[in-house]
Amino acid sequence: MSLISSFWDGFIEKLGKSKDNNPVTYPLLKYAKPIELTEDIITVSVDSPGAQEFLEKRANEIEAALFDHSKKKIKIKFIIKIPSKKNISPPLLSFEPSIEDVFVKSGLNKKYSFDNFAVSTSNQVAYAASQAVVKNPGSAYNPLFLYGGVGVGKTHIAQSVAKKILELDRNKKVYFCPGDNFTNELIESIREKATGRFRKKYRYLDLLIIDDIQFIAGKNAVQEEFFHTFNAIASSGGQIILTSDRPPSSIKNLEDRLHSRFLGGLTVDIQPPDFELRSAILLIKAKEKGIEIDIEAVKIIAERITDCRGLEGALLSIYAKTFGSKEKIDLEAVELFFSQNNGEKKKRINPSEVIKTVCSFYNIKQSHLKSPSRAASIAFYRQIAMYLLEKELGLTLAEVAGMLNRKDHTTALHAKHKIGNLILRDPNLKKEIDIITQSLFQST
Ligand code: ADP
Ligand code: MG
């Protein structure tokens, strides 16, 4: 052991035993590394500006303790040293981790890569931006902020960037972190008084991805920490990618300084996939799973199911149903699947349940809904009930009208068109109707 380390270790050991220890100073000194010792100055390195500032303010105290230990007047100096690869000598006999191990360590899922990512009009800007980030990480767009609804491929594209960067250089420090994990990990580290470890993990990355960043909004300590994480990474040339279900300006309770950081790079939206993209995704997923499927069958599924997650689910269900009886998924198998699915729905709920649910959701009386009253306030909910009876239960328009004591089926037809159109324009109404529909199918 060198003179300097034995001197420092002895000092730290003694300090640890002393009773009147500052509870912060001691741990910080313990993790500091002695760099240089001259006649009257010792230089040690710490790994954050915060630690440096804290210790510098207490230099007198520490120098007194040093005097106590060595009986010599020694000044102490703190420098910041970012752990770099060069300082970590590799063990003599090391097995290079496989690239898969590196992916796992970086929080990546082997499911996602650019190789199985289909590009179309809805996501081509996001795709191009992510390629630019792969080529020039830390400088092209920082941060790259991707937003879009559920299942549009945000996680897929963000993970693909990470993977590509590691494939080009597996020594890059890359970390993919779901937004709620970042939050939980920080809270945990505060509780365990281990924020130093947390910072070490996050602040020296070459690429940090926070997936679903909207989760940190409203939590002050988390936003504060993320702000510093962001600055530390960006200022040392690292890249940040953020994903969210909404644009920065729509994230409620987001600190202004974070908001402006988010807008400081490139913000790109990803739109819901169009029919062509849905077909392409289905083909990719089928190929990955070794499922044979006719192109006609693909088209029907892509027409009926409009979100990416649903596509994979439907593919698997149809596959499970045809397995053993057919070599491949064909048109017939798909049509059977959809008709059975509808059949099940129709069997499970009865019309009076729909009326009951609409009434209890909007707080109105069933007798009012079925009454001759044409008051606008009631008529609207009646139309919603009619719309649902037709759409979800597959009743004929005449049956729908009958359920609500209307003589003429055109009332039901009018309701079907009116609510159908309103849903397209009014997201709140759509949400309400989704909730009603969901509760109908769940309660059975
Ligand atoms: P998000 O994070 O936006 O909610 P995901 O990235 O989790 O969406 O995507 C949902 C599913 O759809 C995943 O299985 C993903 O692989 C698939 N997917 C989405 N977009 C594409 C695409 N363009 N090409 C291939 N698969 C896609
Ligand atoms: Mg996601």
Side-chain angles (χ1 to χ4, degrees):
M1 198 189 271
S2 64
L3 174 67
I4 175 169
S5 9
S6 65
F7 173 81
W8 183 253
D9 290 352
F11 170 61
I12 293 296
E13 198 185 329
K14 190 160 168 193
L15 202 62
K17 287 180 191 145
S18 125
K19 270 189 249 87
D20 43 21
N21 237 331
N22 180 310
V24 181
T25 315
Y26 173 68
L28 284 177
L29 287 174
K30 205 171 137 192
Y31 289 113
K33 300 256 168 322
I35 302 292
E36 194 184 25
L37 178 65
T38 63
E39 260 316 283
D40 52 359
I41 298 177
I42 183 160
T43 308
V44 300
S45 75
V46 292
D47 52 31
S48 77
Q52 182 187 36
E53 199 187 317
F54 184 93
L55 291 171
E56 270 167 358
K57 282 198 188 128
R58 284 159 187 80
N60 286 342
E61 215 175 284
I62 300 164
E63 281 159 5
L66 277 168
F67 182 79
D68 228 27
H69 177 63
S70 63
K71 303 289 172 264
K72 268 170 71 181
K73 268 203 166 157
I74 301 178
K75 281 204 161 306
I76 188 157
K77 267 181 31 188
F78 301 98
I79 60 168
I80 304 177
K81 193 138 196 197
I82 294 169
S84 84
K85 272 159 270 143
K86 279 177 237 134
N87 292 333
I88 303 166
S89 47
L92 280 179
L93 249 180
S94 79
F95 293 97
E96 175 131 298
S98 71
I99 190 86
E100 277 74 27
D101 292 341
V102 178
F103 290 158
V104 172
K105 224 182 111 217
S106 307
L108 302 174
N109 183 324
K110 66 169 187 285
K111 242 179 102 163
Y112 307 113
S113 81
F114 282 127
D115 299 335
N116 62 4
F117 188 79
V119 184
S120 176
T121 43
S122 55
N123 60 14
Q124 64 185 3
V125 179
Y127 178 77
S130 65
Q131 293 298 320
V133 165
V134 168
K135 280 210 188 86
N136 290 306
S139 57
Y141 305 117
N142 216 2
L144 174 61
F145 191 104
L146 301 170
Y147 72 92
V150 173
V152 295
K154 304 179 294 291
T155 300
H156 192 137
I157 214 168
Q159 290 234 357
S160 305
V161 174
K163 213 169 256 179
K164 194 82 209 168
I165 285 183
L166 281 172
E167 275 165 6
L168 294 171
D169 178 359
R170 69 167 69 183
N171 290 318
K172 282 267 161 75
K173 292 190 291 297
V174 169
Y175 195 60
F176 176 95
C177 182
D180 45 348
N181 281 18
F182 186 85
T183 304
N184 295 342
E185 211 180 311
L186 177 65
I187 292 168
E188 186 90 330
S189 78
I190 293 171
R191 209 182 51 218
E192 288 176 357
K193 302 193 173 61
T195 48
R197 202 166 60 215
F198 181 90
R199 286 174 188 162
K200 232 182 199 153
K201 172 170 171 185
Y202 284 96
R203 293 193 181 182
Y204 305 116
L205 292 167
D206 297 307
L207 169 63
L208 172 64
I209 299 172
I210 305 274
D211 199 21
D212 291 315
I213 187 77
Q214 72 271 10
F215 283 119
I216 72 163
K219 299 165 185 111
N220 291 341
V222 183
Q223 297 197 65
E224 160 102 30
E225 184 64 31
F226 182 69
F227 180 74
H228 295 298
T229 307
F230 188 110
N231 291 345
I233 294 176
S235 66
S236 59
Q239 171 74 42
I240 290 137
I241 300 179
L242 306 171
T243 78
S244 172
D245 62 352
R246 64 203 84 170
S249 56
S250 305
I251 304 178
K252 280 201 196 106
N253 301 320
L254 182 70
E255 283 182 6
D256 285 347
R257 56 183 183 169
L258 277 179
H259 184 220
S260 72
R261 279 287 183 284
F262 291 177
L263 293 179
L266 180 70
T267 304
V268 186
D269 68 320
I270 307 181
Q271 290 295 322
D274 56 15
F275 171 74
E276 279 73 25
L277 184 56
R278 297 200 297 273
S279 306
I281 292 174
L282 266 174
L283 286 170
I284 290 175
K285 299 279 175 198
K287 188 157 179 244
E288 278 176 358
K289 298 174 204 302
I291 298 176
E292 296 241 18
I293 183 165
D294 276 348
I295 187 71
E296 291 308 316
V298 166
K299 283 187 189 161
I300 300 285
I301 304 174
E303 234 162 52
R304 300 265 182 111
I305 296 185
T306 52
D307 72 289
C308 297
R309 292 190 189 166
L311 289 176
E312 196 172 352
L315 182 68
L316 287 174
S317 310
I318 300 172
Y319 179 64
K321 288 212 164 118
T322 53
F323 190 75
S325 65
K326 283 191 183 216
E327 296 243 311
K328 55 153 77 171
I329 297 179
D330 56 13
L331 198 57
E332 195 190 24
V334 172
E335 283 184 336
L336 183 69
F337 171 79
F338 283 114
S339 71
Q340 277 177 351
N341 254 19
N342 284 338
E344 277 165 24
K345 271 189 191 172
K346 277 175 212 153
K347 254 184 279 142
R348 278 216 305 269
I349 32 178
N350 64 46
S352 53
E353 259 177 275
V354 174
I355 295 174
K356 202 172 83 189
T357 310
V358 170
C359 289
S360 58
F361 184 82
Y362 289 110
N363 254 336
I364 46 177
K365 287 211 173 89
Q366 287 195 49
S367 56
H368 284 174
L369 209 72
K370 292 181 179 172
S371 78
S373 161
R374 292 186 181 199
S377 57
I378 284 285
F380 183 64
Y381 303 120
R382 194 179 289 131
Q383 286 167 339
I384 291 180
M386 291 200 236
Y387 169 83
L388 287 170
L389 285 168
E390 198 271 340
K391 177 159 182 281
E392 298 299 335
L393 303 200
L395 298 191
T396 66
L397 294 171
E399 284 170 335
V400 171
M403 280 306 299
L404 290 146
N405 299 329
R406 308 287 120 174
K407 286 193 197 81
D408 192 355
H409 82 277
T410 50
T411 334
L413 182 66
H414 175 65
K416 174 182 164 170
H417 287 154
K418 182 178 164 188
I419 304 297
N421 284 330
L422 273 178
I423 283 178
L424 296 177
R425 279 183 280 129
D426 182 351
N428 286 328
L429 179 66
K430 182 174 183 325
K431 214 179 270 164
E432 289 172 9
I433 292 193
D434 283 348
I435 294 170
I436 296 174
T437 314
Q438 267 171 25
S439 76
L440 278 172
F441 291 110
Q442 268 162 17
S443 59
T444 48

